[in-house]
Amino acid sequence: MHGVKGQGADAVLVVLPGVERTPPLLDAWRSRRTEDEASRVVYVGVTRAERLVGLAVPAPLSDELVAILRERSVNLTVAPVCISPALGRQPRTHTEP
């Protein structure tokens, strides 16, 4: 991500780390802290997008991410959550208000 500073792209997809590492990142976003490296890396990634940003987040944390983005009045579209049936869990989707 550091190599793209100063550059732009039509679309950017940022894949957040697994369930164990994402909650501290979401906590930092909620409190608007940006001191940690992970927050800065994600910031650089999403600010490179000129038209579209996609965020992939572990399914158990997707509701929390959507809530944070809505608190910030981010214009968003929530895509269905994809979970492999091989994992023994059923896919679920978010319902937009």
Side-chain angles (χ1 to χ4, degrees), residues 6-60:
Q7 298 179 20
D10 282 343
V12 173
L13 172 63
V14 177
V15 179
L16 299 179
V19 167
E20 304 80 28
R21 294 179 48 209
T22 298
L25 184 59
L26 295 180
D27 291 341
W29 289 355
R30 183 174 289 104
S31 64
R32 298 179 186 255
R33 288 188 329 263
T34 58
E35 311 86 46
D36 65 288
E37 181 67 8
S39 292
R40 288 192 300 269
V41 168
V42 172
Y43 175 81
V44 168
V46 299
T47 58
R48 300 308 95 193
E50 295 171 1
R51 296 184 328 137
L52 176 69
V53 174
L55 292 171
V57 61

mmCIF file of all heavy atoms in Angstrom, residues 6-60:
data_model
loop_
_atom_site.group_PDB
_atom_site.id
_atom_site.type_symbol
_atom_site.label_atom_id
_atom_site.label_comp_id
_atom_site.label_asym_id
_atom_site.label_seq_id
_atom_site.Cartn_x
_atom_site.Cartn_y
_atom_site.Cartn_z
ATOM 1 N N GLY A 6 0.166 9.025 -3.434
ATOM 2 C CA GLY A 6 0.226 9.996 -4.508
ATOM 3 C C GLY A 6 -0.384 9.523 -5.814
ATOM 4 O O GLY A 6 -0.507 10.297 -6.744
ATOM 5 N N GLN A 7 -0.754 8.264 -5.905
ATOM 6 C CA GLN A 7 -1.368 7.722 -7.109
ATOM 7 C C GLN A 7 -2.858 7.515 -6.880
ATOM 8 O O GLN A 7 -3.317 7.452 -5.747
ATOM 9 C CB GLN A 7 -0.722 6.390 -7.478
ATOM 10 C CG GLN A 7 0.747 6.490 -7.783
ATOM 11 C CD GLN A 7 1.345 5.143 -8.116
ATOM 12 O OE1 GLN A 7 0.639 4.211 -8.479
ATOM 13 N NE2 GLN A 7 2.649 5.039 -7.984
ATOM 14 N N GLY A 8 -3.616 7.398 -7.957
ATOM 15 C CA GLY A 8 -5.042 7.152 -7.856
ATOM 16 C C GLY A 8 -5.458 5.989 -8.737
ATOM 17 O O GLY A 8 -4.699 5.536 -9.590
ATOM 18 N N ALA A 9 -6.682 5.525 -8.530
ATOM 19 C CA ALA A 9 -7.253 4.446 -9.329
ATOM 20 C C ALA A 9 -8.756 4.655 -9.391
ATOM 21 O O ALA A 9 -9.345 5.251 -8.486
ATOM 22 C CB ALA A 9 -6.937 3.090 -8.705
ATOM 23 N N ASP A 10 -9.382 4.179 -10.451
ATOM 24 C CA ASP A 10 -10.839 4.282 -10.541
ATOM 25 C C ASP A 10 -11.509 3.567 -9.381
ATOM 26 O O ASP A 10 -12.471 4.060 -8.804
ATOM 27 C CB ASP A 10 -11.355 3.683 -11.849
ATOM 28 C CG ASP A 10 -11.148 4.614 -13.035
ATOM 29 O OD1 ASP A 10 -10.910 5.819 -12.821
ATOM 30 O OD2 ASP A 10 -11.223 4.132 -14.173
ATOM 31 N N ALA A 11 -11.009 2.372 -9.074
ATOM 32 C CA ALA A 11 -11.614 1.568 -8.012
ATOM 33 C C ALA A 11 -10.524 0.936 -7.159
ATOM 34 O O ALA A 11 -9.443 0.623 -7.657
ATOM 35 C CB ALA A 11 -12.498 0.475 -8.611
ATOM 36 N N VAL A 12 -10.828 0.769 -5.881
ATOM 37 C CA VAL A 12 -9.899 0.156 -4.933
ATOM 38 C C VAL A 12 -10.674 -0.851 -4.099
ATOM 39 O O VAL A 12 -11.775 -0.557 -3.629
ATOM 40 C CB VAL A 12 -9.261 1.212 -4.005
ATOM 41 C CG1 VAL A 12 -8.435 0.566 -2.909
ATOM 42 C CG2 VAL A 12 -8.429 2.205 -4.800
ATOM 43 N N LEU A 13 -10.095 -2.029 -3.929
ATOM 44 C CA LEU A 13 -10.659 -3.033 -3.026
ATOM 45 C C LEU A 13 -9.675 -3.212 -1.879
ATOM 46 O O LEU A 13 -8.507 -3.530 -2.102
ATOM 47 C CB LEU A 13 -10.869 -4.372 -3.736
ATOM 48 C CG LEU A 13 -11.270 -5.540 -2.828
ATOM 49 C CD1 LEU A 13 -12.615 -5.284 -2.161
ATOM 50 C CD2 LEU A 13 -11.286 -6.842 -3.609
ATOM 51 N N VAL A 14 -10.151 -2.993 -0.657
ATOM 52 C CA VAL A 14 -9.328 -3.189 0.531
ATOM 53 C C VAL A 14 -9.886 -4.401 1.273
ATOM 54 O O VAL A 14 -11.065 -4.442 1.613
ATOM 55 C CB VAL A 14 -9.355 -1.946 1.454
ATOM 56 C CG1 VAL A 14 -8.558 -2.200 2.723
ATOM 57 C CG2 VAL A 14 -8.824 -0.729 0.706
ATOM 58 N N VAL A 15 -9.032 -5.380 1.486
ATOM 59 C CA VAL A 15 -9.418 -6.591 2.199
ATOM 60 C C VAL A 15 -8.871 -6.476 3.621
ATOM 61 O O VAL A 15 -7.652 -6.405 3.812
ATOM 62 C CB VAL A 15 -8.868 -7.853 1.505
ATOM 63 C CG1 VAL A 15 -9.267 -9.105 2.271
ATOM 64 C CG2 VAL A 15 -9.354 -7.908 0.056
ATOM 65 N N LEU A 16 -9.779 -6.416 4.585
ATOM 66 C CA LEU A 16 -9.365 -6.288 5.977
ATOM 67 C C LEU A 16 -8.922 -7.640 6.511
ATOM 68 O O LEU A 16 -9.359 -8.686 6.031
ATOM 69 C CB LEU A 16 -10.508 -5.720 6.810
ATOM 70 C CG LEU A 16 -10.970 -4.323 6.383
ATOM 71 C CD1 LEU A 16 -12.123 -3.853 7.255
ATOM 72 C CD2 LEU A 16 -9.827 -3.328 6.435
ATOM 73 N N PRO A 17 -8.054 -7.631 7.523
ATOM 74 C CA PRO A 17 -7.528 -8.898 8.047
ATOM 75 C C PRO A 17 -8.602 -9.739 8.723
ATOM 76 O O PRO A 17 -9.741 -9.305 8.881
ATOM 77 C CB PRO A 17 -6.455 -8.460 9.034
ATOM 78 C CG PRO A 17 -6.805 -7.069 9.404
ATOM 79 C CD PRO A 17 -7.530 -6.482 8.221
ATOM 80 N N GLY A 18 -8.222 -10.927 9.147
ATOM 81 C CA GLY A 18 -9.149 -11.872 9.756
ATOM 82 C C GLY A 18 -9.815 -11.364 11.019
ATOM 83 O O GLY A 18 -9.503 -10.295 11.536
ATOM 84 N N VAL A 19 -10.742 -12.152 11.521
ATOM 85 C CA VAL A 19 -11.572 -11.796 12.674
ATOM 86 C C VAL A 19 -10.729 -11.398 13.886
ATOM 87 O O VAL A 19 -11.107 -10.518 14.647
ATOM 88 C CB VAL A 19 -12.521 -12.968 13.025
ATOM 89 C CG1 VAL A 19 -13.171 -12.784 14.375
ATOM 90 C CG2 VAL A 19 -13.570 -13.116 11.951
ATOM 91 N N GLU A 20 -9.569 -12.003 14.066
ATOM 92 C CA GLU A 20 -8.753 -11.714 15.234
ATOM 93 C C GLU A 20 -8.107 -10.336 15.157
ATOM 94 O O GLU A 20 -7.874 -9.705 16.178
ATOM 95 C CB GLU A 20 -7.631 -12.760 15.395
ATOM 96 C CG GLU A 20 -8.113 -14.180 15.482
ATOM 97 C CD GLU A 20 -8.452 -14.772 14.106
ATOM 98 O OE1 GLU A 20 -7.866 -14.342 13.082
ATOM 99 O OE2 GLU A 20 -9.319 -15.652 14.046
ATOM 100 N N ARG A 21 -7.806 -9.847 13.947
ATOM 101 C CA ARG A 21 -7.061 -8.601 13.799
ATOM 102 C C ARG A 21 -7.908 -7.402 13.400
ATOM 103 O O ARG A 21 -7.440 -6.268 13.499
ATOM 104 C CB ARG A 21 -5.954 -8.808 12.777
ATOM 105 C CG ARG A 21 -4.910 -9.796 13.285
ATOM 106 C CD ARG A 21 -3.786 -10.060 12.319
ATOM 107 N NE ARG A 21 -3.225 -8.847 11.761
ATOM 108 C CZ ARG A 21 -2.670 -8.777 10.557
ATOM 109 N NH1 ARG A 21 -2.621 -9.840 9.793
ATOM 110 N NH2 ARG A 21 -2.162 -7.653 10.116
ATOM 111 N N THR A 22 -9.132 -7.607 12.982
ATOM 112 C CA THR A 22 -9.955 -6.491 12.521
ATOM 113 C C THR A 22 -10.607 -5.689 13.650
ATOM 114 O O THR A 22 -10.713 -4.471 13.525
ATOM 115 C CB THR A 22 -11.017 -6.990 11.523
ATOM 116 O OG1 THR A 22 -10.340 -7.542 10.391
ATOM 117 C CG2 THR A 22 -11.920 -5.872 11.044
ATOM 118 N N PRO A 23 -11.062 -6.281 14.768
ATOM 119 C CA PRO A 23 -11.716 -5.468 15.805
ATOM 120 C C PRO A 23 -10.916 -4.252 16.283
ATOM 121 O O PRO A 23 -11.490 -3.162 16.414
ATOM 122 C CB PRO A 23 -11.985 -6.461 16.933
ATOM 123 C CG PRO A 23 -12.194 -7.758 16.211
ATOM 124 C CD PRO A 23 -11.163 -7.705 15.081
ATOM 125 N N PRO A 24 -9.592 -4.350 16.511
ATOM 126 C CA PRO A 24 -8.870 -3.135 16.903
ATOM 127 C C PRO A 24 -8.906 -2.053 15.827
ATOM 128 O O PRO A 24 -8.961 -0.859 16.135
ATOM 129 C CB PRO A 24 -7.431 -3.629 17.137
ATOM 130 C CG PRO A 24 -7.559 -5.084 17.398
ATOM 131 C CD PRO A 24 -8.740 -5.541 16.580
ATOM 132 N N LEU A 25 -8.915 -2.467 14.571
ATOM 133 C CA LEU A 25 -9.007 -1.511 13.479
ATOM 134 C C LEU A 25 -10.368 -0.817 13.487
ATOM 135 O O LEU A 25 -10.460 0.409 13.363
ATOM 136 C CB LEU A 25 -8.776 -2.230 12.152
ATOM 137 C CG LEU A 25 -8.748 -1.380 10.892
ATOM 138 C CD1 LEU A 25 -7.666 -0.322 10.962
ATOM 139 C CD2 LEU A 25 -8.545 -2.269 9.682
ATOM 140 N N LEU A 26 -11.430 -1.578 13.689
ATOM 141 C CA LEU A 26 -12.764 -0.979 13.761
ATOM 142 C C LEU A 26 -12.885 -0.056 14.971
ATOM 143 O O LEU A 26 -13.506 1.011 14.888
ATOM 144 C CB LEU A 26 -13.840 -2.071 13.806
ATOM 145 C CG LEU A 26 -13.949 -2.955 12.552
ATOM 146 C CD1 LEU A 26 -15.044 -3.995 12.733
ATOM 147 C CD2 LEU A 26 -14.186 -2.138 11.304
ATOM 148 N N ASP A 27 -12.290 -0.437 16.099
ATOM 149 C CA ASP A 27 -12.290 0.432 17.288
ATOM 150 C C ASP A 27 -11.584 1.752 16.991
ATOM 151 O O ASP A 27 -12.043 2.822 17.406
ATOM 152 C CB ASP A 27 -11.612 -0.258 18.474
ATOM 153 C CG ASP A 27 -12.418 -1.421 19.017
ATOM 154 O OD1 ASP A 27 -13.638 -1.491 18.741
ATOM 155 O OD2 ASP A 27 -11.821 -2.260 19.720
ATOM 156 N N ALA A 28 -10.466 1.685 16.271
ATOM 157 C CA ALA A 28 -9.736 2.899 15.906
ATOM 158 C C ALA A 28 -10.594 3.788 15.003
ATOM 159 O O ALA A 28 -10.621 5.008 15.174
ATOM 160 C CB ALA A 28 -8.421 2.541 15.221
ATOM 161 N N TRP A 29 -11.298 3.182 14.054
ATOM 162 C CA TRP A 29 -12.169 3.969 13.185
ATOM 163 C C TRP A 29 -13.289 4.622 13.976
ATOM 164 O O TRP A 29 -13.630 5.771 13.752
ATOM 165 C CB TRP A 29 -12.776 3.097 12.099
ATOM 166 C CG TRP A 29 -11.805 2.654 11.061
ATOM 167 C CD1 TRP A 29 -10.490 3.017 10.944
ATOM 168 C CD2 TRP A 29 -12.059 1.762 9.998
ATOM 169 N NE1 TRP A 29 -9.933 2.397 9.862
ATOM 170 C CE2 TRP A 29 -10.860 1.623 9.262
ATOM 171 C CE3 TRP A 29 -13.180 1.057 9.588
ATOM 172 C CZ2 TRP A 29 -10.762 0.811 8.137
ATOM 173 C CZ3 TRP A 29 -13.084 0.245 8.476
ATOM 174 C CH2 TRP A 29 -11.889 0.131 7.755
ATOM 175 N N ARG A 30 -13.871 3.853 14.903
ATOM 176 C CA ARG A 30 -14.984 4.380 15.685
ATOM 177 C C ARG A 30 -14.542 5.605 16.500
ATOM 178 O O ARG A 30 -15.259 6.583 16.616
ATOM 179 C CB ARG A 30 -15.546 3.305 16.614
ATOM 180 C CG ARG A 30 -16.749 3.771 17.408
ATOM 181 C CD ARG A 30 -17.403 2.671 18.212
ATOM 182 N NE ARG A 30 -18.091 1.739 17.331
ATOM 183 C CZ ARG A 30 -17.634 0.525 16.997
ATOM 184 N NH1 ARG A 30 -16.499 0.085 17.467
ATOM 185 N NH2 ARG A 30 -18.325 -0.258 16.201
ATOM 186 N N SER A 31 -13.359 5.553 17.053
ATOM 187 C CA SER A 31 -12.870 6.651 17.886
ATOM 188 C C SER A 31 -12.066 7.679 17.085
ATOM 189 O O SER A 31 -11.544 8.624 17.659
ATOM 190 C CB SER A 31 -12.012 6.103 19.025
ATOM 191 O OG SER A 31 -10.863 5.478 18.500
ATOM 192 N N ARG A 32 -11.973 7.451 15.772
ATOM 193 C CA ARG A 32 -11.258 8.358 14.863
ATOM 194 C C ARG A 32 -9.773 8.474 15.192
ATOM 195 O O ARG A 32 -9.152 9.504 14.969
ATOM 196 C CB ARG A 32 -11.919 9.727 14.818
ATOM 197 C CG ARG A 32 -13.335 9.671 14.295
ATOM 198 C CD ARG A 32 -13.966 11.043 14.289
ATOM 199 N NE ARG A 32 -15.350 10.975 13.929
ATOM 200 C CZ ARG A 32 -15.843 11.330 12.742
ATOM 201 N NH1 ARG A 32 -15.048 11.768 11.815
ATOM 202 N NH2 ARG A 32 -17.121 11.240 12.498
ATOM 203 N N ARG A 33 -9.199 7.396 15.724
ATOM 204 C CA ARG A 33 -7.757 7.351 15.989
ATOM 205 C C ARG A 33 -7.051 6.857 14.733
ATOM 206 O O ARG A 33 -7.505 5.924 14.098
ATOM 207 C CB ARG A 33 -7.429 6.399 17.140
ATOM 208 C CG ARG A 33 -7.829 6.887 18.484
ATOM 209 C CD ARG A 33 -7.285 5.983 19.595
ATOM 210 N NE ARG A 33 -7.158 4.580 19.231
ATOM 211 C CZ ARG A 33 -8.068 3.628 19.503
ATOM 212 N NH1 ARG A 33 -9.178 3.937 20.119
ATOM 213 N NH2 ARG A 33 -7.853 2.378 19.164
ATOM 214 N N THR A 34 -5.955 7.469 14.408
ATOM 215 C CA THR A 34 -5.214 7.048 13.222
ATOM 216 C C THR A 34 -3.728 6.863 13.508
ATOM 217 O O THR A 34 -2.917 6.884 12.603
ATOM 218 C CB THR A 34 -5.381 8.068 12.074
ATOM 219 O OG1 THR A 34 -4.930 9.345 12.545
ATOM 220 C CG2 THR A 34 -6.808 8.153 11.593
ATOM 221 N N GLU A 35 -3.381 6.683 14.776
ATOM 222 C CA GLU A 35 -1.966 6.551 15.116
ATOM 223 C C GLU A 35 -1.380 5.205 14.690
ATOM 224 O O GLU A 35 -0.191 5.106 14.440
ATOM 225 C CB GLU A 35 -1.718 6.670 16.634
ATOM 226 C CG GLU A 35 -2.350 7.834 17.331
ATOM 227 C CD GLU A 35 -3.777 7.561 17.759
ATOM 228 O OE1 GLU A 35 -4.082 6.503 18.322
ATOM 229 O OE2 GLU A 35 -4.598 8.454 17.523
ATOM 230 N N ASP A 36 -2.203 4.173 14.649
ATOM 231 C CA ASP A 36 -1.654 2.843 14.370
ATOM 232 C C ASP A 36 -1.433 2.646 12.877
ATOM 233 O O ASP A 36 -2.088 3.233 12.024
ATOM 234 C CB ASP A 36 -2.551 1.747 14.952
ATOM 235 C CG ASP A 36 -3.902 1.706 14.286
ATOM 236 O OD1 ASP A 36 -4.719 2.616 14.529
ATOM 237 O OD2 ASP A 36 -4.129 0.777 13.513
ATOM 238 N N GLU A 37 -0.464 1.787 12.577
ATOM 239 C CA GLU A 37 -0.062 1.532 11.190
ATOM 240 C C GLU A 37 -1.202 0.979 10.339
ATOM 241 O O GLU A 37 -1.386 1.385 9.186
ATOM 242 C CB GLU A 37 1.133 0.564 11.173
ATOM 243 C CG GLU A 37 1.649 0.242 9.793
ATOM 244 C CD GLU A 37 2.301 1.424 9.078
ATOM 245 O OE1 GLU A 37 2.499 2.480 9.698
ATOM 246 O OE2 GLU A 37 2.593 1.286 7.882
ATOM 247 N N ALA A 38 -2.002 0.060 10.900
ATOM 248 C CA ALA A 38 -3.091 -0.544 10.125
ATOM 249 C C ALA A 38 -4.091 0.519 9.663
ATOM 250 O O ALA A 38 -4.529 0.507 8.509
ATOM 251 C CB ALA A 38 -3.798 -1.629 10.939
ATOM 252 N N SER A 39 -4.446 1.436 10.533
ATOM 253 C CA SER A 39 -5.391 2.501 10.156
ATOM 254 C C SER A 39 -4.815 3.370 9.050
ATOM 255 O O SER A 39 -5.511 3.754 8.115
ATOM 256 C CB SER A 39 -5.731 3.378 11.361
ATOM 257 O OG SER A 39 -6.471 2.660 12.296
ATOM 258 N N ARG A 40 -3.539 3.687 9.143
ATOM 259 C CA ARG A 40 -2.905 4.519 8.115
ATOM 260 C C ARG A 40 -2.847 3.806 6.769
ATOM 261 O O ARG A 40 -3.099 4.409 5.724
ATOM 262 C CB ARG A 40 -1.509 4.949 8.563
ATOM 263 C CG ARG A 40 -1.535 5.994 9.667
ATOM 264 C CD ARG A 40 -0.164 6.604 9.878
ATOM 265 N NE ARG A 40 0.836 5.622 10.250
ATOM 266 C CZ ARG A 40 1.130 5.281 11.503
ATOM 267 N NH1 ARG A 40 0.480 5.829 12.499
ATOM 268 N NH2 ARG A 40 2.069 4.392 11.748
ATOM 269 N N VAL A 41 -2.563 2.518 6.787
ATOM 270 C CA VAL A 41 -2.491 1.750 5.541
ATOM 271 C C VAL A 41 -3.863 1.695 4.871
ATOM 272 O O VAL A 41 -3.991 1.907 3.660
ATOM 273 C CB VAL A 41 -1.931 0.334 5.792
ATOM 274 C CG1 VAL A 41 -2.112 -0.559 4.580
ATOM 275 C CG2 VAL A 41 -0.457 0.417 6.177
ATOM 276 N N VAL A 42 -4.908 1.426 5.649
ATOM 277 C CA VAL A 42 -6.259 1.388 5.085
ATOM 278 C C VAL A 42 -6.644 2.773 4.563
ATOM 279 O O VAL A 42 -7.216 2.903 3.478
ATOM 280 C CB VAL A 42 -7.285 0.867 6.114
ATOM 281 C CG1 VAL A 42 -8.701 1.022 5.601
ATOM 282 C CG2 VAL A 42 -6.995 -0.591 6.447
ATOM 283 N N TYR A 43 -6.315 3.820 5.305
ATOM 284 C CA TYR A 43 -6.609 5.188 4.867
ATOM 285 C C TYR A 43 -5.975 5.468 3.502
ATOM 286 O O TYR A 43 -6.621 5.990 2.591
ATOM 287 C CB TYR A 43 -6.121 6.201 5.902
ATOM 288 C CG TYR A 43 -6.278 7.625 5.446
ATOM 289 C CD1 TYR A 43 -7.505 8.273 5.553
ATOM 290 C CD2 TYR A 43 -5.211 8.311 4.873
ATOM 291 C CE1 TYR A 43 -7.653 9.583 5.112
ATOM 292 C CE2 TYR A 43 -5.351 9.617 4.429
ATOM 293 C CZ TYR A 43 -6.577 10.243 4.554
ATOM 294 O OH TYR A 43 -6.733 11.522 4.107
ATOM 295 N N VAL A 44 -4.704 5.123 3.365
ATOM 296 C CA VAL A 44 -4.020 5.341 2.084
ATOM 297 C C VAL A 44 -4.744 4.575 0.979
ATOM 298 O O VAL A 44 -4.979 5.109 -0.105
ATOM 299 C CB VAL A 44 -2.532 4.927 2.164
ATOM 300 C CG1 VAL A 44 -1.900 4.881 0.774
ATOM 301 C CG2 VAL A 44 -1.771 5.882 3.060
ATOM 302 N N GLY A 45 -5.141 3.337 1.271
ATOM 303 C CA GLY A 45 -5.824 2.544 0.254
ATOM 304 C C GLY A 45 -7.141 3.143 -0.192
ATOM 305 O O GLY A 45 -7.373 3.322 -1.394
ATOM 306 N N VAL A 46 -7.997 3.484 0.748
ATOM 307 C CA VAL A 46 -9.330 3.968 0.362
ATOM 308 C C VAL A 46 -9.282 5.368 -0.238
ATOM 309 O O VAL A 46 -10.131 5.711 -1.056
ATOM 310 C CB VAL A 46 -10.356 3.907 1.521
ATOM 311 C CG1 VAL A 46 -10.545 2.487 1.996
ATOM 312 C CG2 VAL A 46 -9.983 4.819 2.659
ATOM 313 N N THR A 47 -8.295 6.166 0.125
ATOM 314 C CA THR A 47 -8.233 7.513 -0.444
ATOM 315 C C THR A 47 -7.607 7.535 -1.830
ATOM 316 O O THR A 47 -7.561 8.582 -2.468
ATOM 317 C CB THR A 47 -7.473 8.478 0.490
ATOM 318 O OG1 THR A 47 -6.160 7.980 0.733
ATOM 319 C CG2 THR A 47 -8.232 8.663 1.796
ATOM 320 N N ARG A 48 -7.149 6.393 -2.336
ATOM 321 C CA ARG A 48 -6.643 6.332 -3.716
ATOM 322 C C ARG A 48 -7.792 6.200 -4.701
ATOM 323 O O ARG A 48 -7.637 6.463 -5.884
ATOM 324 C CB ARG A 48 -5.704 5.144 -3.942
ATOM 325 C CG ARG A 48 -4.457 5.082 -3.098
ATOM 326 C CD ARG A 48 -3.629 6.338 -3.108
ATOM 327 N NE ARG A 48 -4.021 7.125 -1.939
ATOM 328 C CZ ARG A 48 -3.710 8.398 -1.721
ATOM 329 N NH1 ARG A 48 -3.011 9.060 -2.566
ATOM 330 N NH2 ARG A 48 -4.101 9.028 -0.649
ATOM 331 N N ALA A 49 -8.954 5.765 -4.249
ATOM 332 C CA ALA A 49 -10.091 5.520 -5.146
ATOM 333 C C ALA A 49 -10.676 6.833 -5.642
ATOM 334 O O ALA A 49 -10.952 7.734 -4.858
ATOM 335 C CB ALA A 49 -11.166 4.714 -4.428
ATOM 336 N N GLU A 50 -10.887 6.907 -6.944
ATOM 337 C CA GLU A 50 -11.489 8.092 -7.535
ATOM 338 C C GLU A 50 -12.995 7.946 -7.714
ATOM 339 O O GLU A 50 -13.711 8.944 -7.747
ATOM 340 C CB GLU A 50 -10.802 8.399 -8.865
ATOM 341 C CG GLU A 50 -9.335 8.765 -8.658
ATOM 342 C CD GLU A 50 -8.548 8.879 -9.939
ATOM 343 O OE1 GLU A 50 -9.124 8.689 -11.045
ATOM 344 O OE2 GLU A 50 -7.334 9.148 -9.847
ATOM 345 N N ARG A 51 -13.487 6.699 -7.834
ATOM 346 C CA ARG A 51 -14.927 6.493 -8.035
ATOM 347 C C ARG A 51 -15.543 5.460 -7.108
ATOM 348 O O ARG A 51 -16.679 5.607 -6.706
ATOM 349 C CB ARG A 51 -15.206 6.078 -9.485
ATOM 350 C CG ARG A 51 -14.847 7.132 -10.493
ATOM 351 C CD ARG A 51 -15.207 6.762 -11.919
ATOM 352 N NE ARG A 51 -15.128 5.350 -12.192
ATOM 353 C CZ ARG A 51 -16.039 4.676 -12.886
ATOM 354 N NH1 ARG A 51 -17.076 5.283 -13.392
ATOM 355 N NH2 ARG A 51 -15.885 3.393 -13.094
ATOM 356 N N LEU A 52 -14.813 4.389 -6.787
ATOM 357 C CA LEU A 52 -15.413 3.267 -6.068
ATOM 358 C C LEU A 52 -14.426 2.656 -5.080
ATOM 359 O O LEU A 52 -13.273 2.432 -5.438
ATOM 360 C CB LEU A 52 -15.861 2.187 -7.070
ATOM 361 C CG LEU A 52 -16.423 0.892 -6.506
ATOM 362 C CD1 LEU A 52 -17.774 1.139 -5.848
ATOM 363 C CD2 LEU A 52 -16.538 -0.146 -7.607
ATOM 364 N N VAL A 53 -14.905 2.402 -3.862
ATOM 365 C CA VAL A 53 -14.111 1.700 -2.852
ATOM 366 C C VAL A 53 -14.894 0.469 -2.425
ATOM 367 O O VAL A 53 -16.089 0.558 -2.125
ATOM 368 C CB VAL A 53 -13.854 2.569 -1.603
ATOM 369 C CG1 VAL A 53 -13.168 1.766 -0.508
ATOM 370 C CG2 VAL A 53 -13.041 3.791 -1.957
ATOM 371 N N GLY A 54 -14.226 -0.651 -2.397
ATOM 372 C CA GLY A 54 -14.822 -1.873 -1.861
ATOM 373 C C GLY A 54 -14.055 -2.271 -0.609
ATOM 374 O O GLY A 54 -12.828 -2.216 -0.578
ATOM 375 N N LEU A 55 -14.786 -2.621 0.432
ATOM 376 C CA LEU A 55 -14.171 -3.100 1.670
ATOM 377 C C LEU A 55 -14.637 -4.524 1.908
ATOM 378 O O LEU A 55 -15.841 -4.766 2.003
ATOM 379 C CB LEU A 55 -14.572 -2.233 2.861
ATOM 380 C CG LEU A 55 -14.047 -0.810 2.884
ATOM 381 C CD1 LEU A 55 -14.718 -0.021 4.001
ATOM 382 C CD2 LEU A 55 -12.544 -0.790 3.050
ATOM 383 N N ALA A 56 -13.698 -5.443 2.004
ATOM 384 C CA ALA A 56 -14.025 -6.825 2.346
ATOM 385 C C ALA A 56 -13.651 -7.017 3.809
ATOM 386 O O ALA A 56 -12.523 -6.739 4.216
ATOM 387 C CB ALA A 56 -13.248 -7.788 1.458
ATOM 388 N N VAL A 57 -14.614 -7.469 4.583
ATOM 389 C CA VAL A 57 -14.427 -7.598 6.027
ATOM 390 C C VAL A 57 -14.902 -8.982 6.446
ATOM 391 O O VAL A 57 -15.819 -9.530 5.823
ATOM 392 C CB VAL A 57 -15.199 -6.478 6.763
ATOM 393 C CG1 VAL A 57 -16.675 -6.553 6.508
ATOM 394 C CG2 VAL A 57 -14.908 -6.459 8.242
ATOM 395 N N PRO A 58 -14.310 -9.566 7.476
ATOM 396 C CA PRO A 58 -14.808 -10.865 7.935
ATOM 397 C C PRO A 58 -16.308 -10.787 8.239
ATOM 398 O O PRO A 58 -16.780 -9.822 8.856
ATOM 399 C CB PRO A 58 -13.992 -11.131 9.202
ATOM 400 C CG PRO A 58 -12.734 -10.348 9.005
ATOM 401 C CD PRO A 58 -13.160 -9.114 8.257
ATOM 402 N N ALA A 59 -17.063 -11.771 7.796
ATOM 403 C CA ALA A 59 -18.526 -11.769 7.918
ATOM 404 C C ALA A 59 -19.027 -11.449 9.327
ATOM 405 O O ALA A 59 -19.966 -10.663 9.464
ATOM 406 C CB ALA A 59 -19.099 -13.099 7.436
ATOM 407 N N PRO A 60 -18.429 -11.993 10.398
ATOM 408 C CA PRO A 60 -18.955 -11.680 11.732
ATOM 409 C C PRO A 60 -18.835 -10.205 12.118
ATOM 410 O O PRO A 60 -19.478 -9.757 13.054
ATOM 411 C CB PRO A 60 -18.094 -12.542 12.670
ATOM 412 C CG PRO A 60 -17.543 -13.627 11.824
ATOM 413 C CD PRO A 60 -17.386 -13.020 10.455
#
